[in-house]
């Protein structure tokens, strides 16, 4: 009898211990030196082997039992050409010893010694954060690996601090944020985003073979050419099925992600500062932090992976997180007026925008200095008195009286040679002494790594924001770096420019936001040239692309949504014909733009009464669904890449509303549109349906979640560039 009681007590104790241990996001088995990091959606395990090397043990679906993890034993060499280190999945390998893959860190000491072999030194756990210290086997080169677990979000972040605790200077040749390891195997498939100006975030999918695939920017900003995001699957993942490992690097300068398959069925992803033209000296006592590299695993396809990232960005990355407001409907003057801005013209547009229901009126380029075209004025952040005789005050008051906030375009990092700023400070641009200074769009890049430049930019923007009721800056950046010299820093230090520039950019924005807590910022770099989780920590939305042609936008937006939340994705309705000479109906353009943060970029002076009536209706509809679009879950139902019909669905976080957007490219042979099966609804609930334009063929009466998800809806989409939307309200 007593025995039974004892057994019961012990087993219930064990249960308590197991379940409370499971609730911890970071568990440490001290005896075996193993850590298990767990979120609701995934786990990540690392351990120290008997040689002191820190090794990756696992990344995938959630694990609950630490005892399952094997002892971390050193590997034996396969041959003298295949050393053990190559197979050991070292968590943060230095370039040293017998390591030939992409290292996480590489250095040169003052005496020329370049060998770096890192061993485990100590660890510290604080809530959801884990720090692991590594040290070189020979001297005091210290590396701290930082891990943050986001237990509700399915995301783990990694970064590193490299510290020179030796007595002599050394130089870093490579400093990465993390190396991630996929489970050993073949047949992996890489998904990544590439593009160029006006053709950003195009989706690529390709098999991973032995060798390296490099995604990178060498341009100084994040760049249109690759976006610092990846997703990897077994080659079998689809939108809503299959395992997907993914990651996003938070850096807005030169970055690199190397996806590498070694000859040992080992797929490694290493990312951080681009090693190209990289050289970062550290004096004794100095340290450098590498950017955050966020990553996760989703069991249910690329859609699920995107939804994890979207929620994480909305609630953990964007300024204000959960407390930030949904994005207002904005008007932007650029496509309507280009540089020809003046007070009466802007007032005329503002009057019309307000009538449509616009909430934020943004004046774009052309309002300052001698900025009548792109050849002059950049750098001179003073209001042009001929265009705005009373400064900005009159226009802003008018806009505010109409019930709208006011936003202003700036391009603080740039200077036209034809500007007062450049005439005063020709040494403020990045340059190699005596060499040509390559212009693009007639402009040069200020060297933000310089303290005086940083201060000038802060002061200029602070003055504008202090003297005017400016709610929003559209922060543009219209060219990549060239001749990235910093003569004043001297040859040993001048390559720090790549890093210091970005850190100073971040610092200016952080300081501005601290001083003007209501100020919002849009990141623009000739469209989507600066979109990454580093800038997104400090801006509220991004300009997705200068390509506002609605059909092209469907593809750009689909790519964008792989990595970034719809709330971030600024999308305007503009005039036609647009890029490609294409004309699409106004409703089509609206519905495309309503899938993100809606804006209007058209010349409203050219709109007919009919256009204005449709615009007013669409903006009102958008306001009734924007919580769902901006804060809900996105399901990409039919892709414009593979289908004649594109369909995207958004479900509100409380499950009460869903919205379906559908677009037809070009009907052939009178073929009807396919049934569209909804996702993310409650099978047992019933939903009222409301179609924007009567193109829903099914019964309008309430329909069950089961019917909508398994039978789908049928839409009467005909001809070229037809479109519709259906709103679903859950019947209480
Ligand atoms: C590039 C941006 O992407 C456009 O929206 C516009 O702001 C222009 N620059 C202005 O020069």
């Amino acid at each position: 009898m007593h025995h039974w009681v004892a057994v019961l007590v012990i087993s219930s104790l064990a249960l308590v211990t197991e379940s409370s241990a499971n609730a911890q996001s970071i568990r440490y088995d001290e005896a075996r030196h193993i850590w298990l990091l767990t979120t609701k959606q995934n786990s990540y395990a690392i351990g120290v082997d008997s040689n002191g090397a820190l090794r990756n043990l696992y990344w995938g679906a959630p694990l609950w039992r630490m005892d399952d993890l094997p002892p971390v034993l050193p590997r034996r060499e396969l041959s003298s050409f295949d050393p053990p280190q190559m197979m050991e999945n070292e968590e943060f390998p230095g370039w040293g010893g017998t390591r030939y893959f992409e290292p996480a860190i590489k250095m040169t000491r003052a005496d020329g010694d370049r060998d770096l072999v890192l061993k485990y030194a100590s660890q510290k756990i604080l809530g959801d954060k884990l720090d692991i210290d590594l040290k070189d086997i020979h001297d005091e080169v210290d590396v701290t690996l930082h891990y943050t677990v986001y237990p509700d979000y399915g995301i783990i972040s990694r970064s590193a601090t490299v510290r020179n605790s030796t007595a002599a200077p050394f130089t870093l040749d490579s400093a990465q944020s993390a190396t991630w390891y996929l489970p050993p195997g073949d047949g992996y498939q890489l998904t990544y985003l590439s593009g160029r100006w006006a053709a950003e975030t195009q989706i690529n999918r390709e098999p991973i073979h032995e060798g390296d695939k490099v995604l990178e920017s060498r341009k100084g900003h994040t760049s249109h050419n690759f976006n610092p995001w990846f997703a990897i699957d077994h080659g079998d993942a689809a939108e809503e099925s299959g395992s997907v490992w993914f990651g996003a690097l938070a850096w807005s300068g030169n970055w690199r992600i190397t996806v590498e398959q070694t000859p040992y069925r080992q797929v490694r992803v290493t990312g951080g500062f681009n090693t190209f033209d990289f050289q970062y000296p550290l004096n004794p006592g100095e340290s450098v932090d590498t950017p955050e590299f966020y990553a996760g695993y989703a069991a249910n396809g690329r859609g699920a992976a995107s939804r994890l990232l979207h929620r994480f960005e909305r609630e953990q990355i964007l300024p204000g997180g959960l407390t930030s407001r949904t994005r207002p409907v904005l008007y932007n003057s650029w496509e309507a007026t280009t540089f020809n801005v003046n007070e009466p013209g802007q007032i005329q547009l503002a009057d019309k925008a307000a009538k449509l229901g616009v909430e934020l009126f943004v004046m774009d380029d052309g309002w300052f200095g001698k900025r009548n075209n792109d050849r002059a004025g950049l750098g001179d952040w003073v209001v042009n008195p001929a265009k705005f005789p009373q400064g900005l005050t009159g226009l802003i008051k008018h806009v505010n009286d109409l019930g709208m906030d006011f936003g202003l375009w700036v391009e603080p990092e740039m200077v036209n040679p034809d500007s007062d700023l450049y005439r005063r400070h020709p040494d403020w641009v990045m340059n190699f002494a005596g060499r040509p200074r390559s212009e693009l769009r007639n402009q040069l890049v200020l060297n933000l790594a310089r303290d005086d430049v940083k201060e000038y930019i802060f002061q200029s923007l602070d003055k504008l924001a202090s003297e005017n009721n400016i709610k929003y800056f559209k922060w543009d950046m219209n060219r990549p770096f060239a001749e990235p010299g910093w003569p004043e820093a001297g040859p040993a230090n001048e390559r720090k420019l790549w890093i210091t520039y970005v850190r100073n950019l971040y610092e200016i924005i952080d300081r501005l936001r601290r001083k003007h807590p209501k100020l919002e910022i849009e990141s623009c770099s000739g469209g989507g040239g600066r979109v990454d989780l580093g800038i997104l920590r400090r801006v509220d939305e991004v300009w997705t692309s200068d390509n506002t042609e609605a059909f092209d936008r469907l593809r750009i937006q689909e790519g964008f949504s792989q990595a970034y939340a719809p709330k971030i994705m600024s999308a305007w309705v503009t005039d036609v014909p647009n890029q490609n000479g294409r004309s699409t109906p106004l409703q089509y353009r609206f519905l495309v733009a309503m899938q993100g943060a809606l804006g209007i970029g058209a010349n409203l002076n050219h709109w007919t009464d009919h256009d204005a009536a449709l615009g007013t209706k669409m903006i009102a509809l958008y306001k009734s669904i924007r919580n769902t679009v901006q804060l809900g879950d996105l399901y990409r139902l039919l892709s414009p890449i593979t289908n004649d019909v594109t369909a995207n669905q958004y479900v509100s976080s409380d499950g009460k509303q869903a919205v379906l957007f559908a677009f037809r490219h070009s009907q052939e042979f009178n073929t009807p549109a396919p049934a569209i099966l909804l996702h993310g609804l409650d099978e047992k609930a019933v939903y009222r349906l409301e179609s924007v334009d009567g193109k829903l063929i099914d019964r309008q009466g309430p329909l069950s979640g089961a019917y909508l998800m398994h039978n789908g809806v049928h839409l009467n989409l005909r001809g070229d560039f037809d479109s519709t939307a259906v709103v679903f309200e859950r019947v209480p």
Side-chain angles (χ1 to χ4, degrees):
M1 172 73 179
H2 281 121
H3 282 310
W4 280 109
V5 172
V7 167
L8 278 175
V9 169
I10 287 167
S11 62
S12 68
L13 261 182
L15 270 178
V16 170
T17 321
E18 195 68 65
S19 64
S20 54
N22 280 342
Q24 285 168 19
S25 61
I26 301 174
R27 288 152 72 194
Y28 177 43
D29 178 339
E30 196 172 353
R32 295 194 303 149
H33 271 335
I34 291 177
W35 295 261
L36 179 61
L37 282 48
T38 303
T39 77
K40 282 189 185 134
Q41 296 80 0
N42 42 53
S43 286
Y44 187 85
I46 43 185
V48 180
D49 72 19
S50 51
N51 287 334
L54 183 67
R55 307 229 316 247
N56 181 272
L57 305 179
Y58 178 80
W59 184 23
L63 300 180
W64 60 274
R65 196 164 178 271
M66 279 201 87
D67 287 351
D68 292 345
L69 294 166
V72 198
L73 299 172
R75 296 282 287 257
R76 297 240 302 274
E77 73 179 39
L78 209 60
S79 77
S80 59
F81 297 98
D82 305 281
Q85 285 77 15
M86 291 298 290
M87 286 162 267
E88 289 185 338
N89 289 5
E90 235 179 295
E91 184 73 353
F92 200 80
W95 184 76
T98 52
R99 293 165 185 82
Y100 306 97
F101 43 47
E102 185 64 38
I105 172 169
K106 183 175 183 311
M107 65 178 293
T108 305
R109 293 178 184 75
D111 63 3
D113 174 356
R114 305 190 301 286
D115 190 54
L116 179 63
V117 177
L118 293 170
K119 290 281 153 85
Y120 172 75
S122 62
Q123 65 103 39
K124 193 167 66 216
I125 298 172
L126 213 62
D128 295 327
K129 289 181 186 295
L130 163 68
D131 275 359
I132 297 184
D133 295 319
L134 309 175
K135 201 179 274 304
D136 178 52
I137 47 172
H138 189 66
D139 55 17
E140 301 292 311
V141 178
D142 294 327
V143 176
T144 303
L145 305 185
H146 309 288
Y147 297 82
T148 304
V149 183
Y150 297 87
D152 291 335
Y153 295 89
I155 303 285
I156 291 171
S157 92
R158 291 182 56 189
S159 65
T161 301
V162 185
R163 201 171 304 102
N164 182 354
S165 305
T166 73
F170 62 70
T171 300
L172 291 174
D173 310 310
S174 165
Q176 303 299 303
S177 301
T179 297
W180 307 93
Y181 292 87
L182 279 293
D186 308 302
Y188 280 110
Q189 191 107 14
L190 171 69
T191 308
Y192 63 96
L193 301 171
S194 69
R196 58 184 157 83
W197 175 79
E200 297 87 338
T201 53
Q202 301 299 304
I203 301 173
N204 303 272
R205 261 172 78 62
E206 63 193 35
I208 297 175
H209 295 302
E210 284 179 24
D212 289 2
K213 169 85 187 183
V214 175
L215 314 175
E216 66 171 350
S217 166
R218 298 180 177 194
K219 290 182 157 178
H221 65 145
T222 321
S223 127
H224 305 77
N225 303 135
F226 293 105
N227 191 271
W229 167 88
F230 73 88
I232 295 178
D233 65 80
H234 281 300
D236 57 354
E239 264 301 305
E240 300 300 334
S241 64
S243 290
V244 177
W245 292 261
F246 59 93
L249 187 65
W251 189 244
S252 315
N254 279 4
W255 58 272
R256 189 175 70 162
I257 295 177
T258 306
V259 180
E260 177 183 21
Q261 177 161 345
T262 71
Y264 314 105
R265 289 199 158 144
Q266 186 188 41
V267 174
R268 320 168 71 241
V269 181
T270 303
F273 295 134
N274 200 332
T275 50
F276 177 80
D277 200 43
F278 180 88
Q279 189 185 57
Y280 202 95
L282 287 177
N283 287 318
E286 288 182 345
S287 64
V288 64
D289 298 323
T290 65
E292 299 286 333
F293 200 165
Y294 299 93
Y297 162 87
N300 295 314
R302 287 190 292 278
S306 298
R307 287 188 290 277
L308 284 182
L309 269 175
H310 293 176
R311 183 166 164 248
F312 177 67
E313 289 156 3
R314 287 194 308 264
E315 298 181 10
Q316 295 292 331
I317 296 286
L318 290 173
L322 273 168
T323 62
S324 67
R325 64 168 182 162
T326 45
R327 302 309 308 146
V329 177
L330 67 73
Y331 179 80
N332 180 294
S333 64
W334 175 246
E335 291 200 22
T337 58
T338 63
F339 301 97
N340 304 318
V341 294
N342 56 42
E343 188 171 307
Q346 294 293 297
I347 283 179
Q348 194 184 14
L349 288 169
D351 287 342
K352 294 191 168 151
K355 282 208 189 98
L356 297 176
V358 165
E359 298 157 307
L360 169 64
F361 182 86
V362 184
M363 177 162 65
D364 211 280
D365 203 347
W367 58 268
F368 54 92
K370 301 224 168 49
R371 188 74 169 167
N372 299 316
N373 47 49
D374 63 17
R375 292 192 294 279
L378 278 179
D380 299 339
W381 299 110
V382 282
V383 182
N384 181 309
K387 296 177 181 178
F388 297 91
Q390 1 169 25
L392 295 176
T393 325
L395 173 62
I396 297 181
K397 179 161 183 329
H398 190 87
V399 165
N400 291 160
D401 288 347
L402 289 167
M404 298 185 292
D405 286 322
F406 180 78
L408 190 66
W409 178 95
V410 286
E411 193 178 355
E413 299 151 80
M414 297 291 158
V415 66
N416 286 118
D418 185 0
S419 66
D420 293 341
L421 183 69
Y422 191 70
R423 281 183 279 273
R424 271 200 317 274
H425 298 289
D427 53 330
W428 277 13
V429 300
M430 46 185 71
N431 70 92
F432 292 119
R435 309 271 316 169
R437 301 176 177 195
S438 302
E439 293 176 25
L440 288 166
R441 207 193 191 206
N442 310 302
Q443 62 196 58
L444 297 168
V445 190
L446 291 171
N447 181 1
L448 246 70
R450 290 173 61 123
D451 286 341
D452 45 8
V453 171
K454 176 175 74 172
E455 199 52 30
Y456 171 79
I457 292 176
F458 173 79
Q459 295 302 341
S460 309
L461 297 173
D462 178 43
K463 189 165 187 297
L464 280 169
S466 304
E467 291 176 357
N468 301 288
N469 189 20
I470 294 172
K471 173 82 182 182
Y472 180 98
F473 279 133
K474 175 177 172 184
W475 185 306
D476 206 346
M477 195 267 194
N478 278 306
R479 58 157 294 174
F481 296 8
E483 296 100 17
W486 182 5
E488 300 75 19
N493 282 302
E494 75 172 336
R495 292 184 206 196
K496 277 173 131 175
L497 178 146
W498 295 115
I499 313 294
T500 311
Y501 182 109
V502 180
R503 293 224 194 282
N504 284 354
L505 168 74
Y506 289 170
E507 192 187 313
I508 297 169
I509 303 178
D510 292 346
R511 205 170 144 199
L512 263 181
R513 291 194 78 121
R514 268 199 309 279
K515 182 138 184 233
H516 305 278
K518 295 218 170 93
L519 182 72
E520 296 180 336
I521 296 177
E522 171 181 3
S523 168
C524 172
S525 182
R530 186 144 68 195
V531 187
D532 61 81
L533 293 190
I535 201 72
L536 285 171
R537 275 214 175 277
R538 31 195 65 87
V539 301
D540 303 271
E541 59 184 276
V542 304
W543 181 223
T544 313
S545 177
D546 274 343
N547 185 341
T548 56
E549 193 279 296
F551 179 63
D552 279 1
R553 261 302 176 106
L554 285 178
R555 295 220 359 214
I556 293 171
Q557 294 184 179
E558 182 179 56
F560 186 96
S561 79
Q562 303 296 313
Y564 303 106
K567 183 185 184 193
I568 301 166
M569 184 178 79
S570 187
W572 305 343
V573 174
T574 56
D575 292 324
V576 288
N578 204 314
Q579 265 102 348
N580 310 309
R582 187 176 287 130
S583 291
T584 56
L586 187 57
Q587 172 172 307
Y588 184 99
R589 282 174 270 150
F590 259 102
L591 293 179
V592 168
M594 282 161 65
Q595 298 178 99
L598 174 65
I600 314 292
N603 189 342
L604 298 177
N605 298 323
H606 297 162
W607 277 25
T608 63
D609 290 348
H610 181 263
D611 294 339
L614 182 61
T616 309
K617 175 180 151 193
M618 286 291 153
I619 290 175
L621 170 66
Y622 180 71
K623 288 178 182 170
S624 73
I625 56 168
R626 78 169 138 200
N627 277 348
T628 302
V629 169
Q630 293 188 23
L631 309 177
D633 276 336
L634 166 65
Y635 295 88
R636 295 176 293 249
L637 305 180
L638 293 172
S639 162
I641 301 176
T642 44
N643 298 284
D644 162 44
V645 171
T646 303
N648 293 311
Q649 182 203 346
Y650 298 72
V651 181
S652 68
S653 47
D654 61 8
K656 287 189 181 150
Q657 190 185 61
V659 193
L660 170 68
F661 295 91
F663 307 88
R664 184 130 207 203
H665 181 231
S666 46
Q667 187 183 26
E668 293 171 302
F669 311 114
N670 271 318
T671 313
I676 297 177
L677 306 185
L678 299 195
H679 276 67
L681 301 181
D682 178 351
E683 301 231 347
K684 298 276 181 250
V686 285
Y687 298 83
R688 264 195 300 273
L689 281 64
E690 199 176 329
S691 146
V692 293
D693 54 5
K695 291 192 189 128
L696 181 69
I697 300 171
D698 307 78
R699 285 179 47 214
Q700 307 280 317
L703 296 172
S704 70
Y707 185 83
L708 291 168
M709 292 197 289
H710 306 311
N711 175 74
V713 292
H714 301 81
L715 303 170
N716 187 21
L717 293 173
R718 301 187 57 81
D720 294 344
F721 302 114
D722 203 357
S723 64
T724 192
V726 183
V727 182
F728 304 80
E729 304 281 355
R730 187 183 171 131
V731 179

